[in-house]
């Protein structure tokens, strides 16, 4: 009996729909139907009560699901145990900000443990990462966003991510902290691209408080935004980790607004709720949520806020 039949059966049982299960597995719907039928024929049982809109497990189907979980998990564990690092493939979805300014030391530590692993990174938007995690196109997502709450996903908070307003050194707000949002009245802004979560939060806050502002430019590149701000074209709000180096060298200035003016944002690990967590994924989660194992990582995080609501990696279900 092909192990894939049990994998397919589990996905159909979770989705309760052949079309949705087929999309997640990357198969055509007839292929999924045939695999379920072959499993039923082999054991001489009926696994689902079928209707036009939804599938429901029969009593035999519920019993089979218990065995299927054991079979698939045992297979995954055996594959991990006997596979070399060269056979490990890991697809990670994240944002450009985290890929450039937060994750490199962690990826370095990961590659030290799995030097021959095939790791592919996909810097993209939060929404796209979440979509691909749900469709099993990615193994793990690492996002900077407000807390992600979704019944299909497991979210693990890594740390609170501070946002800062950057400006030129001669800007009148230079160096001020905890100002009221109304002091941004008539400011010229260089904004990140539409769909950026913290841009949306800023616009929403200013609109709700009746604050007028000008949009000088919209850019998808944080490096481009920082250069424009440095030349005095306007101000911008970006994650502090993306500006830390230029602030330290005094190439940029900064200021902050009151904490209650904006929602809190967090770096988070996003996993599919039903995904088997292979050893490499667990190790990466450990790196991100536990005490940093390297001096380079430690120095990177020393001045940053600590994580909030962290879930121990050992508590992650498979």
């Amino acid at each position: 009996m092909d192990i894939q039949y049990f994998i397919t059966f589990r996905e159909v049982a979770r989705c309760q729909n052949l079309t949705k299960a087929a999309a997640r597995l990357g198969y055509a719907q007839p292929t999924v139907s045939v695999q379920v039928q072959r499993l039923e024929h082999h054991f001489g049982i009926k696994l689902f009560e079928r209707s036009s809109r939804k599938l429901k497990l029969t009593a035999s189907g519920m019993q089979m699901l218990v065995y299927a979980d054991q079979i698939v998990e045992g297979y995954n564990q055996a594959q991990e145990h006997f596979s070399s690092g060269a056979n490990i493939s890991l697809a990670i979805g994240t944002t450009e900000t985290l890929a450039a300014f937060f994750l490199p030391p962690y990826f370095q530590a990961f590659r030290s443990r799995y030097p021959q692993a095939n790791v592919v990174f996909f810097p993209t938007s939060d929404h796209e990462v979440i979509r691909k995690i749900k469709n099993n196109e990615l193994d793990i997502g690492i996002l900077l966003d407000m807390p992600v709450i979704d019944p299909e996903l497991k979210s693990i908070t890594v740390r609170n991510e501070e946002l800062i307003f950057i400006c030129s050194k001669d800007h009148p707000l230079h160096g001020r902290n905890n100002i009221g949002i109304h002091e941004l009245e008539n400011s010229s802004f260089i904004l990140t691209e539409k769909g950026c979560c913290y841009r949306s939060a800023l616009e929403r806050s200013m609109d709700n408080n009746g604050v007028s502002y000008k949009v000088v430019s919209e850019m998808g590149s944080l490096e481009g935004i920082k250069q424009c701000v440095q030349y005095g074209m306007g101000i911008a709000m970006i994650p502090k980790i993306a500006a830390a180096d230029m602030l330290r060298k005094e190439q940029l200035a900064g200021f902050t607004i009151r904490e209650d003016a904006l929602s809190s944002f967090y770096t988070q690990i996003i996993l599919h709720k039903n995904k088997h967590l292979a050893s490499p994924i667990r190790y990466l989660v450990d790196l991100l949520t536990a005490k940093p194992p390297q001096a380079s990582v430690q120095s990177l995080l020393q001045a940053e806020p600590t994580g909030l609501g962290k879930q121990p990696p050992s508590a992650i279900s498979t």
Side-chain angles (χ1 to χ4, degrees):
M1 178 62 62
D2 192 333
I3 186 69
Q4 187 58 51
Y5 295 172
F6 294 101
I7 295 172
T8 298
F9 165 65
R10 290 205 315 172
E11 197 62 48
V12 175
R14 287 169 181 147
C15 296
Q16 298 182 314
N17 182 279
L18 290 171
T19 301
K20 190 173 181 179
R24 290 188 174 184
L25 292 166
Y27 291 150
Q29 182 179 323
T31 300
V32 171
S33 298
V34 167
Q35 289 183 1
V36 172
Q37 289 169 6
R38 287 180 178 173
L39 203 59
E40 290 179 319
H41 178 74
H42 179 83
F43 289 99
I45 57 176
K46 189 175 183 181
L47 297 172
F48 295 100
E49 295 289 348
R50 292 168 172 83
S51 67
S52 58
R53 310 188 76 178
K54 193 175 182 181
L55 297 176
K56 182 179 178 181
L57 283 169
T58 62
S60 295
M62 293 177 68
Q63 291 177 324
M64 178 59 72
L65 185 58
V66 174
Y67 289 114
D69 284 337
Q70 294 173 353
I71 291 167
V72 175
E73 293 307 315
Y75 171 81
N76 287 333
Q77 290 170 16
Q79 191 172 42
E80 284 182 42
H81 179 78
F82 294 108
S83 294
S84 67
N87 293 326
I88 295 171
S89 181
L90 190 61
I92 302 172
T94 188
T95 61
E96 179 189 358
T97 300
L98 295 178
F101 301 104
F102 175 65
L103 292 172
Y106 294 102
F107 291 156
Q108 180 186 23
F110 178 85
R111 291 305 300 269
S112 295
R113 176 72 173 268
Y114 297 100
Q116 297 185 39
N118 179 28
V119 182
V120 182
F121 303 106
F122 297 92
T124 185
S125 68
D126 290 356
H127 295 300
E128 188 66 6
V129 170
I130 289 173
R131 184 190 70 79
K132 288 187 175 183
I133 290 287
K134 287 185 175 182
N135 290 335
N136 288 316
E137 296 174 43
L138 295 171
D139 295 301
I140 184 172
I142 306 170
L143 304 182
L144 192 168
D145 205 336
M146 290 184 285
V148 174
I149 301 174
D150 190 296
E152 293 185 60
L153 303 175
K154 181 183 290 294
S155 173
I156 306 166
T157 299
V158 175
R159 66 179 195 171
N160 179 228
E161 209 64 65
E162 186 178 352
L163 299 172
I164 190 169
F165 288 82
I166 55 173
C167 59
S168 60
K169 292 186 287 185
D170 59 356
H171 194 278
L173 295 177
H174 163 213
R176 295 183 59 189
N177 290 314
N178 299 319
I179 68 172
I181 195 167
H182 289 95
E183 293 197 53
L184 299 179
E185 183 75 31
N186 294 324
S187 292
S188 296
F189 272 89
I190 301 164
L191 297 177
T192 51
E193 73 278 11
K194 290 180 180 179
C196 172
C197 57
Y198 47 87
R199 168 186 168 161
S200 299
L202 174 62
E203 290 179 314
R204 186 165 53 250
S205 181
M206 290 196 292
D207 290 343
N208 290 343
N209 286 280
V211 178
S212 300
Y213 58 96
K214 303 170 187 175
V215 179
V216 175
S217 182
E218 301 174 71
M219 293 187 180
S221 166
L222 290 180
E223 292 301 325
I225 289 173
K226 289 186 291 185
Q227 290 298 318
C228 290
V229 170
Q230 189 176 18
Y231 281 100
M233 290 176 57
I235 64 175
M237 187 186 78
I238 63 175
K240 184 179 179 180
I241 54 172
D245 187 55
M246 293 186 74
L247 289 169
R248 184 171 57 253
K249 295 176 180 176
E250 297 186 347
Q251 296 170 334
L252 285 173
F255 64 91
T256 62
I257 64 173
R258 288 171 48 182
E259 289 185 2
D260 58 2
L262 286 172
S263 302
S264 295
F265 286 81
Y266 303 89
T267 292
Q268 304 159 73
I269 298 168
I270 305 297
L271 300 160
H272 195 292
K273 193 172 184 179
N274 297 324
K275 184 173 182 61
H276 168 76
L277 297 187
S279 295
I281 299 178
R282 285 185 175 275
Y283 181 68
L284 182 56
V285 171
D286 285 345
L287 286 177
L288 291 165
T289 58
K291 183 177 180 180
Q294 298 187 87
S296 58
V297 177
Q298 182 65 53
S299 63
L300 177 67
L301 301 182
Q302 270 179 348
E304 300 300 325
T306 56
L308 300 177
K310 191 176 295 180
Q311 178 179 349
S314 59
I316 302 171
S317 63
T318 57

